Amino acid sequence: MPSEFDLIARYFARPTPQAVLGPGDDCALLAPAPGMELAITTDMLVSGTHFLPDTDPRQLGWKTLAVNLSDLAAMGATPRWVLLAGSLPDADERWIAAFAEGLFACAKRYAVDLVGGDTTRGPLNLCVTALGEVPAGAALRRDGARVGDDLWVSGQPGLAALGLAQLQGRTQLAETLAARCVSALQKPLPRVELGRALRERKLAHAAIDVSDGLLADLGHIAERSGVDAELFAAQLPHLPAGADPLLARDCQLAGGDDYELAFATPPGKRPALAELAAELDLPLWCIGRIVGPKNELRGDVRLLDENGQSLPLTRKGFDHFGQDKP
Ligand code: ADP
Ligand code: MG
């Protein structure tokens, strides 16, 4: 049976051109460029809570890294380095090799170096810490939205939650749509280029990545910025054809695991955002606006119909679905 050190050397120690010193010593050594701030984030993925225990290890490797890079994207930071702390039930080398393959595929796509970590035996639990760089004072934060800003979201929020519903047998999607939704769930694409462009071109006052559901995450921007948000039902992203529209709408508003970006922009930026969407080949939807807080409970998110009437809604979705998310 391979030792912990054999496993690290075999599967996780790879060249780290962006680090002064990579895996193998007590610490990694990193040198951020002058004038840059470090953006640091960590996310844990626990088997049975954040992913199904039989998830393909290659896809899990990708996702473990991707969800962390999504947080860096939301700040407009450029991902540079990551650490991996893993607790693994046994030294199943086929599983570890496939996991590492997925993880390094994502690392390569987003140009990050795995510079260290920790490897122990225990219940399957994976924790990545990601570090990125952003020019001092320029990070996109949650607390910068202003009254009058437009609210935008990228891509197709809701597909990942539909993919989960499909895998759990709660819905039956047609084959091509099912494949698209399961891929959104298992292989999210962190919007690093979008976050970076929003920051470089000064297009956004505030941003967040959509990991807990669109309404909840827009609520975080509104709350932190001391404002309310209004969404226009008619401007929400088109629902995928071939899915139950009620389920698809609920997934879009309240599903999790999207890793799209939601952001607040000054209204004059619409042409620049249309241009950026074409450049990135990524749909960007102007779905609402920031308004002054209606009461002391700042951070309210309302969904309006074409007549400006509020549609029934809770933070977690339409209230005719009743229950909270699982
Ligand atoms: P220490 O006992 O000093 O904490 P470890 O024995 O835990 O060091 O780890 C040895 C080296 O291997 C360290 O440089 C650590 O960062 C690296 N390492 C451990 N696990 C991983 C992993 N999963 N991926 C990358 N590097 C790792
Ligand atoms: Mg040590």
Side-chain angles (χ1 to χ4, degrees):
M1 179 165 295
S3 75
E4 165 195 341
F5 301 102
D6 292 336
L7 291 177
I8 297 166
R10 221 169 278 168
Y11 299 108
F12 297 112
R14 302 241 182 133
T16 54
Q18 301 188 82
V20 178
L21 186 65
D25 212 313
D26 292 308
C27 294
L29 295 173
L30 311 174
M36 302 297 255
E37 285 171 353
L38 285 179
I40 305 180
T41 179
T42 192
D43 256 313
M44 201 182 312
L45 279 85
V46 178
S47 178
T49 304
H50 300 98
F51 58 91
L52 305 172
D54 62 350
T55 299
D56 174 67
R58 198 174 189 288
Q59 283 160 342
L60 187 61
W62 176 284
K63 185 163 178 176
T64 303
L65 187 49
V67 300
N68 280 275
L69 301 184
S70 176
D71 283 320
L72 296 181
M75 304 293 287
T78 304
R80 299 284 309 274
W81 311 282
V82 297
L83 296 121
L84 169 68
S87 151
L88 308 167
D90 48 40
D92 175 352
E93 285 203 58
R94 276 230 306 247
W95 193 97
I96 296 172
F99 175 83
E101 202 182 301
L103 183 111
F104 280 107
C106 186
K108 183 166 178 230
R109 160 68 181 80
Y110 292 96
V112 295
D113 289 350
L114 177 64
V115 297
D118 197 22
T119 307
T120 65
R121 188 186 293 255
L124 184 56
N125 183 352
L126 300 155
C127 183
V128 164
T129 299
L131 298 96
E133 285 183 309
V134 60
L140 303 175
R141 300 161 47 139
R142 296 179 181 186
D143 59 6
R146 302 179 203 167
V147 173
D149 281 353
D150 286 330
L151 277 175
W152 294 72
V153 69
S154 63
Q156 290 291 343
L159 291 191
L162 272 179
L164 182 63
Q166 171 77 16
L167 290 183
Q168 293 179 332
R170 288 184 282 116
T171 192
Q172 257 95 48
L173 304 171
E175 206 173 318
T176 41
L177 178 60
R180 200 171 148 223
C181 292
V182 170
S183 164
L185 176 71
Q186 295 181 329
K187 200 182 174 194
L189 301 173
R191 302 305 186 188
V192 169
E193 291 83 4
L194 173 60
R196 197 176 161 160
L198 292 175
R199 192 248 308 150
E200 281 173 351
R201 300 178 194 186
K202 300 195 178 0
L203 294 175
H205 284 150
I208 192 167
D209 70 319
V210 183
S211 54
D212 294 338
L214 185 58
L215 293 174
D217 287 317
L218 286 174
H220 293 314
I221 286 189
E223 217 167 285
R224 295 295 301 260
S225 301
V227 295
D228 284 357
E230 286 180 348
L231 304 186
F232 307 118
Q235 291 175 215
L236 290 172
H238 308 311
L239 296 176
D244 165 12
L246 282 182
L247 175 68
R249 186 65 88 195
D250 187 56
C251 288
Q252 180 182 77
L253 292 174
D257 261 0
D258 294 310
Y259 306 104
E260 294 296 344
L261 295 188
F263 48 97
T265 70
K269 304 295 186 189
R270 288 179 194 180
L273 284 154
E275 209 170 285
L276 181 57
E279 230 173 89
L280 297 177
D281 193 20
L282 175 68
L284 299 177
W285 311 83
C286 181
I287 56 171
R289 65 179 174 205
I290 294 287
V291 295
K294 261 200 170 163
N295 51 45
E296 314 81 83
L297 283 178
R298 285 143 196 260
D300 198 26
V301 181
R302 292 180 288 276
L303 179 65
L304 306 182
D305 68 12
E306 264 137 280
N307 303 314
Q309 298 297 307
S310 277
L311 292 165
L313 198 69
T314 69
R315 230 347 124 67
K316 296 191 165 119
F318 285 115
D319 69 0
H320 53 251
F321 288 98
Q323 287 109 32
D324 288 348
K325 277 195 296 182

